[in-house]
């Protein structure tokens, strides 16, 4: 059998590649896989902080790819709620048991999987009229789920999809929002004492896997078929959520 430390580094390496590939083009369904994978080998309240620099590095590539194509008004609507959501999420993260966090993470992943499965039908049924408070609410839920599980995609994605944006504008706006959101989490995690420099230094050598993952994602997403990959990743996400509940 493989040594537990070897297993840890293998899973972390895969997670770093997954984050890069998601920012390179595979999307939120792929990125959401990193947290439950790491939750199998380390506590949730530790992994969300140690993986944050990997997300921040990947965000730099995502914003750079789509520089200046975003809709700033929508980002500004999302950010106040996101700030409040991160604050509440950080308090939650630091005041509940590891078992509760794992269960919340599993429930979040299952809800995300269900949303992705039903997304075309849900959006087709909605007769939507935009209001500014919708952005604040979506940002708040995204901030909360991002703070506790690095999985703030669904609320903001639903909101932006309902704004009738051009595809490139949608991608760029989403990239800018999550870039800012991940940097917002830094002072809250610092204040909560979630960052462990020694723990991060143990995995910092895996940071170069992020741009490699971005390159892989950009190179293969169209050729491999994103729809098929989304279905496979959703199946893996559902399985990982069940595994988190059982372990």
């Amino acid at each position: 059998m493989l040594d537990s430390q070897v297993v840890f580094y293998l899973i972390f390496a895969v997670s770093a590649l997954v984050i890069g590939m998601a920012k390179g083009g595979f999307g939120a369904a792929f990125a959401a896989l990193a947290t439950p994978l790491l939750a199998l080998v380390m506590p949730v309240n530790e992994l969300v902080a140690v993986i944050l620099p990997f997300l921040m590095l990947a965000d730099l590539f995502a914003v750079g790819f789509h520089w200046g194509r975003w809709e700033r008004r929508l980002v500004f609507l999302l950010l106040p709620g996101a700030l409040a959501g991160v604050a509440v999420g950080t308090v939650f993260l630091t005041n509940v048991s590891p078992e509760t966090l794992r269960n919340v993470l599993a429930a979040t992943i299952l809800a995300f999987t269900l949303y992705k499965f039903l997304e075309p039908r849900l959006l087709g049924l909605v007769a939507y009229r935009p209001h500014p408070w919708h952005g604040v609410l979506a940002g708040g839920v995204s901030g909360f789920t991002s703070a506790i599980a690095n999985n703030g995609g669904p609320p903001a994605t639903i909101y932006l999809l309902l704004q009738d944006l051009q595809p490139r504008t949608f991608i760029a706006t989403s990239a800018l929002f999550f870039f800012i959101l991940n940097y917002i989490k830094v002072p809250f995690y610092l204040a909560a004492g979630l960052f462990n420099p020694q723990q991060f230094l143990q995995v910092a050598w895996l940071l170069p896997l992020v741009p490699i993952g971005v390159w892989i994602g950009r190179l293969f997403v169209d050729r491999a078929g994103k729809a098929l990959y989304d279905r496979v990743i959703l199946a893996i996400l559902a399985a990982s959520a069940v595994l988190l509940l059982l372990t």
Side-chain angles (χ1 to χ4, degrees), residues 161-204:
L161 283 173
L162 291 171
Q163 305 308 308
D164 195 27
L165 301 173
Q166 293 297 317
R168 188 70 184 271
T169 304
F170 165 78
I171 295 171
T173 304
S174 178
L176 179 61
F177 170 65
F178 286 109
F179 168 81
I180 298 173
L181 176 59
N182 281 327
Y183 278 81
I184 284 175
K185 290 189 285 188
V186 172
F188 287 94
Y189 282 8
L190 282 171
L194 291 173
F195 283 116
N196 184 330
Q198 183 178 1
Q199 192 176 51
F200 173 70
L201 288 175
Q202 291 178 339
V203 296

Side-chain angles (χ1 to χ4, degrees), residues 69-212:
R69 296 178 180 269
W70 43 71
E71 177 58 64
R72 286 182 295 177
R73 180 183 63 85
L74 297 177
V75 176
F76 289 146
L77 287 174
L78 287 164
L79 286 178
L83 183 63
V86 168
V88 174
T90 304
V91 171
F92 182 85
L93 187 65
T94 54
N95 286 278
V96 299
S97 68
E99 293 77 14
T100 300
L101 281 174
R102 286 172 69 88
N103 291 335
V104 170
L105 173 60
T108 302
I109 296 298
L110 287 174
F112 174 77
T113 305
L114 181 63
Y115 151 71
K116 288 297 292 183
F117 180 74
L118 297 175
E119 181 183 68
R121 302 175 191 178
L122 290 175
L123 295 178
L125 293 174
V126 174
Y128 179 72
R129 293 184 180 180
H131 297 283
W133 66 268
H134 295 170
V136 177
L137 177 62
V141 181
S142 284
F144 178 81
T145 56
S146 182
I148 66 171
N150 288 320
N151 188 18
T157 298
I158 293 172
Y159 173 71
L160 293 176
L161 283 173
L162 291 171
Q163 305 308 308
D164 195 27
L165 301 173
Q166 293 297 317
R168 188 70 184 271
T169 304
F170 165 78
I171 295 171
T173 304
S174 178
L176 179 61
F177 170 65
F178 286 109
F179 168 81
I180 298 173
L181 176 59
N182 281 327
Y183 278 81
I184 284 175
K185 290 189 285 188
V186 172
F188 287 94
Y189 282 8
L190 282 171
L194 291 173
F195 283 116
N196 184 330
Q198 183 178 1
Q199 192 176 51
F200 173 70
L201 288 175
Q202 291 178 339
V203 296
W205 60 279
L206 295 171
L207 277 170
L209 291 175
V210 172
I212 292 174

